[in-house]
Amino acid sequence: MNALVTPHDLAADLSRQAVKVIDVQYNLRGTPGPQLYAGAHLPGAPHLDLDEALAGPPGVRGRHPLPDPHVLETALRACGIDDDDHVVVYDQDASLAAGRAWWVLRWAAHPLVRVLDGGLAAWRRAGLPVTDAVPHPPQGSITVRAGSVPVLDAVGAADMARSGVLLDARTPERFRGVSEPIDRVAGRVPGSANLPIADLLDTDGRFLPPEHIRRVAAAVGVHRDTPVGTTCGSGVTAAQLALALHTAGIDAIPYIGSWSEWIEDPRRPIATGPQIA
């Protein structure tokens, strides 16, 4: 199943009641997701909060660790999701939170999930309607079966950096340790390679064509048969990068704890400076 859907194709699916849509608008910093949702969202779409449902509490496992399966299941049921539903998730534009939701739903054994490419902004550019009305869907019956797709822990991330390719989705400045605006320590996992997520998006926040993504990935040593992991600051952009690679036919395993977990153990090594070939 194609992981992405266009606004017009989604509108057609909605007219046939063939999908259920979930709003996951979110900012790592800035206007909170619930406030964005209150301003405008797709008609009939309930909101799912990334911090509350798609991640566990911050701590030694990082700023956005894996969610508690029961909490996730309760939240998805409140959105009206059943096991056999085709689901589309979207955020405001660049699929940062939508990528995380896409990956978490698959981890929870719900593979029937796609992402609205370009999010709410693309929907509006297509001239399709939005609303501020809050829906009240009937209670869903989805069962979350956690662990249905692989995930890297810190040991697995270090192994991937040695035996495959561990892609860091952060900006080059954060990757090199030149600046760190969020986490208390700058740097990267030793042996990782930098593939900023911005290099895989167009100016409107949509994913670039698969052939472009494959070309950019090949430049950092990633091909279709390469073992690949993804990392970032807290595991949100890592999931977004995994989605981008998936659209190009490249399977990647996110390190959900990412840098914010890595630095919790002072025994773990830290690399800075330019990437060594």
Side-chain angles (χ1 to χ4, degrees), residues 27 30 102 106 142 150 188 193 216 240:
N27 278 318
W102 169 83
R106 294 169 70 242
I142 187 172
R188 65 179 181 272
V216 172
Q240 182 190 20

Side-chain angles (χ1 to χ4, degrees), residues 165 167 192-196 199-200 210-224 226 245 250 275-277:
V165 179
L167 294 175
S192 56
N194 195 203
L195 181 53
D199 291 355
L200 307 182
E211 58 271 18
H212 177 94
I213 294 175
R214 285 192 289 269
R215 186 165 59 249
V216 172
V220 291
V222 173
H223 307 282
R224 290 198 185 197
T226 306
L245 295 169
I250 299 169
Q275 181 177 331
I276 298 174

Side-chain angles (χ1 to χ4, degrees), residues 108-153:
H110 194 83
L112 302 175
V113 56
R114 292 176 293 165
V115 171
L116 173 58
D117 195 18
L120 181 63
W123 180 268
R124 295 178 109 162
R125 284 194 303 271
L128 295 163
V130 297
T131 184
D132 60 3
V134 177
H136 300 283
Q139 184 79 357
S141 60
I142 187 172
T143 298
V144 165
R145 295 181 290 278
S148 294
V149 295
V151 59
L152 295 176
D153 58 11

Side-chain angles (χ1 to χ4, degrees), residues 170 183 185-189 231-233 257-263 270:
R170 295 176 299 168
D183 292 305
V185 178
R188 65 179 181 272
V189 177
T231 184
C232 62
S258 280
W259 185 245
S260 59
E261 179 193 41
W262 185 266
I263 60 176
I270 292 173

